[in-house]
Amino acid sequence: MHTVPIFSLSLLSFIVCHLASASKGGFCTKRFVNGKWINLGDCGVVPKTLAKVTKEIKTTLGCGMSNFNFRNELHFDYAQFNGTLPLLTSFSACFWLRRANSTTHAKGAVLSYCGTGAAYCNSILVFISNSITMKVYLNNVEYSFNNVPSIDYRSHACIVLSSEDGLLHYYLNGTEQADAVKARHSIPAGGVLILGQDQDGEINRTIPGPPVQNGDGFYGLLEDVRIWKRALDPMEIQDLHAFDCKCPSDAIVSFTETNTIIQGDVVQNWEYTCLPSDS
């Protein structure tokens, strides 16, 4: 006769109990980071029964995500994705931005994807200029969105390239901005993807190479950076911003503890979010 391990029964009981209570009390947006809870939203009282949960339970109930604290703007501070991207005719790149401190807004290069043979190395570059303009470069062509990212504490942004309408769309905090721009492009495969820096490239800037310029670096925190090889629809982006515990299942890039190479003085935290409360 097949027997079920005691731990499995306990885990199942825990999950059923808390999912049932979550349906009444909603989902908690606090996060368990380095042994303590951090409040990132209006979540109410921290559920006491979750204060000592195991990693297995957090993995089952929560969405895993990385965040990166970029404390300098130096060229050798960045996080590299240890993987490859396919040819992209459409894509979506979404991330949370958080300011470095109470007086300085997040700014600088959010992410850079350098495909071999791309002019000036930037197949994709997302850059916040002086907290005023969100700039996106596709194959070294600049597209600017003259909207101020509202990063009093943290904001959610998505850059979406749609092959259907040939437009580059910019979403801020779940809402599409009015100035989508024409940007029909094809993004080459097999390049280098990094967070927190602009890549400059080598050999006439056409071969991927490490960043060499200070001042382009991101200053602030980046959370839950994900890339899809399709254009997310507005409802999906609203769901991501609302943090309603739907873990994205088809992202081709999501930074983890095991696929990220940290360079320089960058602090990476691995978190689980969207744990249900017992209220």
Side-chain angles (χ1 to χ4, degrees), residues 154-262:
R154 62 197 296 266
S155 292
H156 186 257
C158 287
I159 305 299
V160 178
L161 176 65
S162 172
S163 60
E164 293 184 1
D165 60 13
L167 295 178
L168 183 69
H169 302 261
Y170 168 39
Y171 290 80
L172 182 64
N173 293 325
T175 302
E176 183 174 7
Q177 305 303 302
D179 52 355
V181 292
K182 293 182 179 180
R184 191 176 297 276
H185 286 270
S186 178
I187 307 301
V192 176
L193 174 64
I194 67 172
L195 301 181
Q197 259 296 347
D198 173 12
Q199 296 180 79
D200 298 292
E202 301 172 344
I203 310 177
N204 296 324
R205 298 187 180 181
T206 60
I207 304 299
V212 297
Q213 291 178 291
N214 291 334
D216 287 341
F218 185 77
Y219 185 48
L221 281 79
L222 290 177
E223 303 174 348
D224 201 23
V225 181
R226 299 179 191 265
I227 296 177
W228 292 258
K229 62 177 181 180
R230 64 183 180 88
L232 296 180
D233 64 45
M235 185 60 67
E236 289 177 304
I237 293 174
Q238 289 176 21
D239 287 343
L240 288 172
H241 172 249
F243 247 16
D244 66 353
C245 296
K246 295 179 181 178
C247 295
S249 59
D250 64 338
I252 59 172
V253 172
S254 58
F255 288 82
T256 68
E257 294 172 296
T258 58
N259 70 11
T260 306
I261 302 171
I262 299 295

Side-chain angles (χ1 to χ4, degrees), residues 33-34 65-71 78-81 195 221-222 254-271:
V33 184
N34 294 335
M65 59 179 282
S66 281
N67 71 37
F68 301 89
N69 186 356
F70 295 90
R71 299 180 289 185
Y78 59 91
Q80 181 175 333
F81 177 66
L195 301 181
L221 281 79
L222 290 177
S254 58
F255 288 82
T256 68
E257 294 172 296
T258 58
N259 70 11
T260 306
I261 302 171
I262 299 295
Q263 301 286 354
D265 184 22
V266 180
V267 178
Q268 179 190 21
N269 282 317
W270 179 247
E271 306 174 355

Side-chain angles (χ1 to χ4, degrees), residues 104-118:
T104 305
H105 286 281
K107 61 180 180 179
V110 175
L111 65 86
S112 170
Y113 174 67
C114 180
T116 300

